[in-house]
Amino acid sequence: MEKRDLVDKNRRTIGETTTEESNIAEGKYVQIVIMCIENHKKEFLIQKRAQKKNGKWALTGGHVISGENSVQAILREVQEELGLTLQEKEIELVFSKRAYDCFVDLYYTKKEVELENLQLEKKEVESVKWMNLEEIKHLKENDAFLECHYDGLQECIYFLEKIKEEEKKNV
């Protein structure tokens, strides 16, 4: 059972831990990380979660475990769930925000990945696909894509558009 450090509203560790099954008291929070992986075709790597994890499509991610920081957690989650090794210099933090009983950090990377080379953690991930935004939107509309991950993907798209705007201004 993975232990998770609890943090306060200012995201400071409070010296308490929790587990997946534990209820979190008001004013205490866990930390979650999510990764958007995009290829050159403007498709995103999505994963079908194992049935025990609701069986929906989602981005790669999970909880920050006790003693980790956010970057360590996302690199570990991508490695564990996909068998894909990323380096810190390859990822970029898109946003960090508090939502309900957690803090969420969304990361982005642009990377070409051959699906057949991935080693999926079958306890957590049933399959993976590259999908464009329209295909993912269709999944979400049919309640087949995890809503909070869809919201994160939308934030990632907004982030990428802002980068393009900045690049155009600097040309």
Side-chain angles (χ1 to χ4, degrees):
M1 187 86 36
E2 291 180 344
K3 289 191 176 190
R4 302 167 185 157
D5 291 328
L6 290 173
V7 296
D8 66 15
K9 67 180 181 176
N10 297 311
R11 207 169 183 171
R12 289 187 297 245
T13 304
I14 60 174
E16 297 178 34
T17 60
T18 187
T19 60
E20 188 173 345
E21 288 78 31
S22 300
N23 289 327
I24 299 167
E26 191 172 328
K28 298 177 183 181
Y29 306 89
V30 293
Q31 301 172 86
I32 295 174
V33 290
I34 302 171
M35 174 63 76
C36 287
I37 302 173
E38 182 185 27
N39 67 17
H40 74 282
K41 298 178 191 174
K42 297 187 185 290
E43 297 170 321
F44 292 89
L45 184 62
I46 63 170
Q47 61 189 51
K48 185 164 179 42
R49 295 159 56 108
Q51 287 304 313
K52 74 172 191 158
K53 294 207 163 248
N54 80 16
K56 291 188 179 189
W57 290 93
L59 300 171
T60 301
H63 286 86
V64 176
I65 60 175
S66 187
E68 279 185 324
N69 65 38
S70 175
V71 170
Q72 292 166 330
I74 196 59
L75 296 175
R76 175 187 49 78
E77 287 290 346
V78 170
Q79 176 63 45
E80 283 179 2
E81 293 182 7
L82 304 176
L84 178 63
T85 301
L86 295 175
Q87 303 300 317
E88 186 174 345
K89 65 184 179 192
E90 294 178 275
I91 67 174
E92 190 166 357
L93 181 65
V94 172
F95 74 72
S96 182
K97 68 180 180 181
R98 190 174 82 196
Y100 306 107
D101 63 349
C102 63
F103 281 91
V104 179
D105 289 347
L106 178 75
Y107 290 91
Y108 169 81
T109 189
K110 188 155 196 152
K111 189 164 184 79
E112 302 306 313
V113 177
E114 297 295 329
L115 299 182
E116 59 274 1
N117 292 339
L118 297 177
Q119 297 173 350
L120 307 182
E121 173 53 62
K122 292 297 185 181
K123 292 179 183 174
E124 301 212 17
V125 181
E126 191 175 299
S127 61
V128 293
K129 283 185 181 181
W130 286 109
M131 283 192 157
N132 65 38
L133 291 174
E134 280 303 311
E135 293 168 317
I136 295 171
K137 182 179 179 183
H138 181 74
L139 287 175
K140 190 234 179 227
E141 289 169 350
N142 289 289
D143 196 34
F145 199 91
L146 196 61
E147 186 149 355
C148 62
H149 283 219
Y150 184 80
D151 294 344
L153 182 59
Q154 293 301 311
E155 294 270 358
C156 188
I157 299 307
Y158 177 74
F159 168 78
L160 295 172
E161 288 171 354
K162 286 197 69 94
I163 289 174
K164 285 180 192 171
E165 288 174 17
E166 289 299 317
E167 289 173 350
K168 285 180 184 176
K169 288 179 186 177
N170 295 329
V171 172

